[in-house]
Amino acid sequence: MRILITGGDGFCGWPTALYLSRQGHQIAILDNEMRREWDHELGIGSLIPLPTMEERVAEWQKHTTSPFRAYHVDMRDYDALATAIIEFQPEAIVHFAEQRSAPYSMIDRDHAIFTQTNNIIGTLNLLYIMKEIAPDCHLIKLGTMGEYGTPNIDIEEGYLTIEYKGRTDTLPYPKQPPSMYHLSKVHDTHNIAFACRSWNLRATDLNQGVVYGVQTEETLTHPLLTNRFDYDEVFGTALNRFCVEAAVAHPLTVYGQGGQTRGFINIKDTVRCIEIAALNPAQPGEMRVYNQFTEEFSVQDLANRVQHAAQGLGFNASIDHLTNPRVELEQHYYHAAHTKLIELGLEPHLLNEEEIRTIIQMAIAQKDRVRMEKIKPTVTWR
Ligand code: NAD
Ligand code: USQ
């Protein structure tokens, strides 16, 4: 297949591009490298040094016989995006290219507005281009489990069948997003659903949980192919952050009581889920929703597991319960369906001690690059 991967220079996009390329698909990545500018803005950076987008693309071209290319395009630039799509003629577009950090979106009003305009305009441009130029193309859009919030009932995959005053309907599952970033995803979801209903476009919305791990088989092939590894308070996410904290003897930063429970997925499963969605396209007019995670953990569970794995490596990791910088429930019911990708063939890599040790060891190897002052949370929701 010809697959365009927007956000292909990012943490999920790069390994996905390499994995799909290795399966023999023709790949184009599209990115404006804005994520690297946010690193400069915040004085942070990937723990593993990152080559430029040009360098990593040139390196992968030596490892594959399938066509593999890159477009340096901003999703907000309709004409440039349309030109790339007309030229590449994708059969599927995997859309990762958004500002994805909840804390970044909560820094202040400017960052909230930037996040929502960047994400929503990029997706709207894509929908209009598909309507005008590529109506058969399958949109595979990265949503997030956070769109649902933490309701006191089971979470379904996108839709909920309800009976009300003697009548029954299947409706979009209610959304209670916990940040300006998560809200941008909900707005995207509504826009995509409208485009499928009105213009007969086909889309799969993948509500992904928190991704952990760093490397895949392909990113390990050569140092220039490495994935990025974020650990700072803004772009680092729970499990990966705890592993880096353990590696540098920083107390593990559990926010509040630690009962916050989320869906998690290994980066090795992210790339496979995208392949499954691409090989099994939605029908014209259909807006499918799959919950893309493999296991649920509370933040406290994760901290305990990292503490145990660190002990196995011969050092002690302490756990700190920090005042929670976010507004979120710290003890709550959480049970979310996630069967559709499994039914289509996903065989999950479940979290085990070996995986946690691998992440800790990767962090130990780059220990000297850790900026200790960037670990503690400073961005608050209130
Ligand atoms: P990332 O920040 O590493 O990658 C996103 C990429 O998109 C970056 O390379 C950035 O430069 C690019 N980008 C952003 N805005 C752009 C624009 N206007 N034009 C062109 N390129 C642009 O993020 P990630 O972790 O790879 O996440 C990818 C997607 O998956 C996001 O949509 C995110 O919301 C979703 N997601 C991520 C996680 C996770 O834990 N990482 C979990 C659930 C969902
Ligand atoms: N948390 C801690 N300590 C930390 C970091 C986080 O206790 O050091 C807690 C947070 O308070 C939250 C939970 O861990 O309750 C998850 O936070 P996170 O920073 O790991 O992830 P989150 O902000 O939810 O965002 C990440 C990605 C985002 C994606 C989302 C999936 O950055 O792009 O959409 O995971 S989900 O959570 O399912 O919405």
Side-chain angles (χ1 to χ4, degrees), residues 179-229:
S179 73
M180 289 294 178
Y181 151 72
H182 288 93
L183 273 156
S184 76
K185 293 286 189 187
V186 174
H187 303 326
D188 279 344
T189 298
H190 288 141
N191 290 343
I192 298 167
F194 175 84
C196 290
R197 269 199 315 272
S198 309
W199 306 332
N200 225 26
L201 298 185
R202 48 172 104 213
T204 302
D205 196 3
L206 296 172
N207 281 338
Q208 187 169 236
V210 186
V211 183
Y212 65 85
V214 179
Q215 308 287 15
T216 58
E217 214 177 291
E218 292 77 25
T219 64
L220 284 170
T221 323
H222 188 279
L224 286 174
L225 299 174
T226 185
N227 200 7
R228 55 177 310 131
F229 186 177

Side-chain angles (χ1 to χ4, degrees), residues 335-351:
H335 187 244
H338 56 110
T339 55
K340 291 188 178 172
L341 285 159
I342 305 270
E343 281 160 18
L344 288 172
L346 175 66
E347 291 172 13
H349 294 78
L350 298 181
L351 183 63

Side-chain angles (χ1 to χ4, degrees), residues 100-103 143-147 178 181-182 185 208-211 233-239 241-242 245 253-256 258 260-264 299 324-326 328-329 334 375 381:
R100 67 100 174 133
S101 158
T144 178
M145 284 302 293
E147 290 183 43
Y181 151 72
H182 288 93
K185 293 286 189 187
Q208 187 169 236
V210 186
V211 183
E233 59 143 330
V234 174
F235 280 95
T237 51
L239 179 60
R241 259 166 74 70
F242 294 163
E245 290 163 359
T253 52
V254 170
Y255 299 164
Q260 303 94 306
T261 301
R262 301 286 183 269
F264 286 80
V299 177
N324 196 337
R326 307 187 185 195
E328 60 185 359
L329 294 179
Y334 198 79
I375 293 179
W381 263 228

Side-chain angles (χ1 to χ4, degrees), residues 3-14 16-18 26-36 53-54 56-57 68-90 92-98 118 121-123 125-126 129:
I3 306 177
L4 178 70
I5 301 178
T6 79
D9 188 47
F11 170 67
C12 296
W14 178 246
T16 300
L18 300 195
Q26 294 183 38
I27 301 298
I29 64 171
L30 182 147
D31 206 297
N32 63 350
E33 296 183 78
M34 214 172 3
R35 173 71 185 82
R36 294 165 185 258
M53 178 160 130
E54 217 179 345
R56 61 193 342 201
V57 168
F68 188 90
R69 59 164 304 174
Y71 290 96
H72 198 279
V73 165
D74 188 326
M75 297 287 301
R76 292 166 298 174
D77 181 342
Y78 181 90
D79 291 338
L81 187 58
T83 303
I85 290 174
I86 290 168
E87 187 178 291
F88 186 64
Q89 296 280 312
I93 299 176
V94 183
H95 180 27
F96 286 113
E98 297 203 332
N118 183 61
I121 292 172
T123 300
N125 277 343
L126 204 47
I129 290 167

Side-chain angles (χ1 to χ4, degrees), residues 310-334:
Q311 263 160 14
L313 289 171
F315 51 96
N316 288 323
S318 62
I319 298 177
D320 246 9
H321 285 264
L322 303 177
T323 303
N324 196 337
R326 307 187 185 195
V327 175
E328 60 185 359
L329 294 179
E330 294 174 6
Q331 297 292 347
H332 57 89
Y333 178 77
Y334 198 79

Side-chain angles (χ1 to χ4, degrees), residues 255-284:
Y255 299 164
Q257 297 173 52
Q260 303 94 306
T261 301
R262 301 286 183 269
F264 286 80
I265 181 167
N266 191 312
I267 185 73
K268 293 174 190 145
D269 289 335
T270 293
V271 304
R272 172 72 180 129
C273 289
I274 302 296
E275 180 186 30
I276 290 173
L279 295 178
N280 300 276
Q283 296 304 309

